Amino acid sequence: MNPEARVIAWSEMDSPVGPLTLAMTTQGICYIDFGKGDRAQIELKLWARRQICGARLERRDRELEPAAQQLREYFEGNRRCFDLPVDLYGTPFQLCVWRELQSIPYGEVRSYKDVARAIGAPKAVRAVGGANNKNPVPILVPCHRVIGSTGSLVGYGGGLSIKEFLLNLEGVLLSQGSSVR
């Protein structure tokens, strides 16, 4: 086995929503966390232990610079889609949901019910919410584009204020009466 296959490269960057920790395998971006420093490192180590047993973490800022650059362009309003490979780790159901999220265009939203229908599991609305919550690559896999069936902002791992910021950045106008809860 190639020793590089078991390395998770990581880096940190600043963004308008706060610091981000980015991580990648040789296959692509595998993890983004809203935060940096000790807490973010602990979270990354725990995630890596669960998902890629035996992986070694190494700080490699230069390797993650293309991802950081594309994220900066997104936050500046100059990028609508990413051309970074992602390396997703999850259950078959989670992977199915995450693939569907990647099909939601920039500036558009879907409800959890819409996503459940799209994957052929119309009664799995809560499970779709659970998969959204476990998305290891927010922004690149745009779970922020999923809202409640009433048009309200519900649930986001980075916090609802970040979800609202990302949707505003993309020009999403929520219906009257929508609120952050």
Side-chain angles (χ1 to χ4, degrees):
M1 172 183 278
N2 175 359
E4 284 297 302
R6 290 291 202 197
V7 170
I8 298 175
W10 68 274
S11 184
E12 297 174 337
M13 67 174 282
D14 291 321
S15 82
V17 296
L20 299 175
T21 296
L22 315 174
M24 68 183 288
T25 65
T26 57
Q27 301 302 304
I29 304 297
C30 62
Y31 184 86
I32 297 176
D33 184 53
F34 296 100
K36 71 177 186 179
D38 292 342
R39 187 208 58 83
Q41 286 304 301
I42 291 168
E43 292 294 323
L44 176 57
K45 285 177 187 173
L46 290 171
W47 178 86
R49 189 175 305 142
R50 282 190 309 269
Q51 301 299 336
I52 311 173
C53 188
R56 182 173 83 253
L57 299 177
E58 290 184 10
R59 182 153 192 168
R60 295 186 180 176
D61 297 329
R62 196 171 335 156
E63 272 182 51
L64 281 138
E65 181 52 32
Q69 181 58 37
Q70 287 194 27
L71 285 162
R72 281 190 292 273
E73 291 167 0
Y74 169 79
F75 287 120
E76 292 165 357
N78 297 323
R79 177 173 288 277
R80 290 177 168 237
C81 61
F82 297 94
D83 58 10
L84 299 165
V86 294
D87 188 15
L88 297 172
Y89 293 84
T91 68
F93 182 81
Q94 289 170 333
L95 293 170
C96 181
V97 170
W98 299 336
R99 277 191 299 274
E100 183 60 28
L101 298 181
Q102 290 176 294
S103 75
I104 302 172
Y106 179 97
E108 294 185 21
V109 293
R110 302 289 186 272
S111 71
Y112 293 95
K113 184 183 271 187
D114 293 335
V115 174
R117 279 193 207 120
I119 64 169
K123 295 183 187 265
V125 175
R126 291 183 78 139
V128 165
N132 248 29
N133 180 264
K134 298 293 185 196
N135 174 14
V137 190
I139 305 171
L140 299 185
V141 174
C143 55
H144 63 277
R145 296 180 187 151
V146 183
I147 61 173
S149 59
T150 63
S152 59
L153 297 182
V154 292
Y156 192 66
L160 290 177
S161 61
I162 291 176
K163 183 173 189 166
E164 185 174 34
F165 177 91
L166 297 173
L167 291 174
N168 286 334
L169 175 70
E170 294 185 15
V172 173
L173 298 175
L174 297 174
S175 63
Q176 283 298 91
S178 297
S179 61
V180 175
R181 13 179 205 154

